[in-house]
């Protein structure tokens, strides 16, 4: 394994760093995007019950906003509960854009890794081929050992770039779809709350 890594040269070090970073982001997103963290199961019923009992002081609403992304959206609705329905919805939409940005922010790094890794692999390929041609000019084509190092670097970095990029792109798409699904559920549950506080 060490021989494979060392044959990739300096470019391989950067690819390994990107691989480690991608793995950390994927692990963190799997943990942070769990449904129970984003959309706590009993929260909508509890909040609607609070609204019916008029148990909605600033302390409750602030705690709700810190509870989860869904809680943050519900708190945005409750802070405007005495305003017209259109203004409540507008406030929730603004909060929703903030939440979406927060949920997707780490994914920008994952997307960048998916884009940059193949380019680094290509850079390693170019450097490897430059070594091959330099050796050909110096030693001719008769000595295969002089050419093997450059060819090995070219092939190794190309493969490594793809090995890093393909999972990064797949996980990026997976998390984007998961966030989109969770956003739809949050929208539905916040609309139920808006209906409840608009009818009081």
């Amino acid at each position: 394994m060490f021989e494979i890594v060392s044959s990739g040269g300096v470019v391989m070090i950067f690819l390994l760093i990107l691989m480690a970073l991608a793995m950390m982001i994927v692990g963190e997103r799997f943990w942070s995007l769990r449904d129970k963290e984003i959309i706590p199961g009993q929260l909508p019923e509890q909040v609607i019950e609070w609204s019916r009992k008029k148990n909605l002081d600033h302390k409750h609403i602030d705690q709700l906003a810190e509870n989860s992304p869904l809680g943050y959206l519900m708190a945005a609705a409750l802070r405007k509960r005495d305003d017209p329905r259109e203004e409540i919805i507008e406030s929730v939409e603004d909060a929703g854009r903030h939440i979406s940005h927060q949920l997707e922010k780490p994914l920008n790094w994952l997307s960048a890794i998916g884009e940059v890794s193949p380019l680094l692999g290509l850079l390693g390929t170019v450097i490897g081929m430059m070594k091959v041609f330099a050796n050909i000019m110096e030693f001719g084509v008769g000595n295969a050992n002089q050419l093997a190092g450059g060819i090995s670097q070219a092939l190794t970095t190309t493969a490594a770039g793809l090995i890093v990029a393909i999972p990064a792109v797949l996980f990026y798409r997976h998390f984007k779809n998961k966030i989109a699904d969770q956003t739809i559920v949050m929208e539905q549950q916040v609309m139920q709350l808006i209906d409840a506080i608009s009818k009081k």
Side-chain angles (χ1 to χ4, degrees):
M1 183 67 179
F2 177 76
E3 292 180 359
I4 295 175
V5 172
S6 61
S7 68
V10 176
V11 172
M12 185 62 84
I13 296 173
F14 289 104
L15 286 170
L16 289 175
I17 292 171
L18 290 181
M19 178 184 289
L21 181 60
M23 291 173 64
M24 287 190 292
I25 294 171
V26 168
E28 186 274 335
R29 286 293 86 188
F30 266 120
W31 181 259
S32 298
L33 294 178
R34 292 171 298 159
D35 286 341
K36 68 178 184 178
E37 293 292 325
I38 305 298
I39 314 167
Q42 303 301 318
L43 187 63
E45 292 81 5
Q46 291 175 354
V47 174
I48 290 173
E49 189 64 24
W50 288 352
S51 69
R52 287 175 181 154
K53 293 180 177 179
K54 313 290 188 186
N55 193 11
L56 291 171
D57 56 29
H58 289 295
K59 181 180 178 182
H60 275 92
I61 294 175
D62 290 342
Q63 288 177 344
L64 177 63
E66 296 173 1
N67 174 276
S68 62
L70 176 59
Y72 185 86
L73 296 181
M74 289 185 161
L78 292 174
R79 288 190 177 105
K80 295 282 187 178
R81 62 188 179 277
D82 296 323
D83 295 341
R85 181 185 176 91
E86 294 74 17
E87 292 186 21
I88 298 174
I89 293 175
E90 183 178 344
S91 176
V92 170
E93 288 175 347
D94 289 341
R97 284 189 286 270
H98 174 74
I99 287 295
S100 294
H101 175 73
Q102 291 298 111
L103 294 177
E104 293 180 2
K105 191 174 181 179
L107 299 185
N108 294 332
W109 283 100
L110 202 57
S111 175
I113 290 170
E115 294 172 0
V116 169
S117 296
L119 297 177
L120 276 175
L122 180 60
L123 175 62
T125 302
V126 171
I127 293 172
M129 296 311 296
M130 288 171 62
K131 288 183 178 179
V132 170
F133 287 117
N135 287 331
I136 289 175
M137 291 178 64
E138 186 173 352
F139 302 105
V141 295
N143 191 342
N145 290 331
Q146 296 293 337
L147 306 179
I151 295 172
S152 175
Q153 179 173 353
L155 296 176
T156 301
T157 54
T158 300
L162 295 174
I163 288 170
V164 174
I166 292 171
V169 172
L170 290 176
F171 280 117
Y172 171 80
R173 288 296 174 193
H174 167 74
F175 290 130
K176 286 281 284 187
N177 290 336
K178 186 173 182 65
I179 290 170
D181 293 340
Q182 289 174 332
T183 299
I184 291 171
V185 174
M186 286 191 287
E187 287 175 356
Q188 292 170 343
Q189 296 186 353
V190 172
M191 287 306 299
Q192 291 175 4
L193 174 63
I194 292 174
D195 291 340
I197 61 180
S198 297
K199 293 175 182 176
K200 61 187 178 100

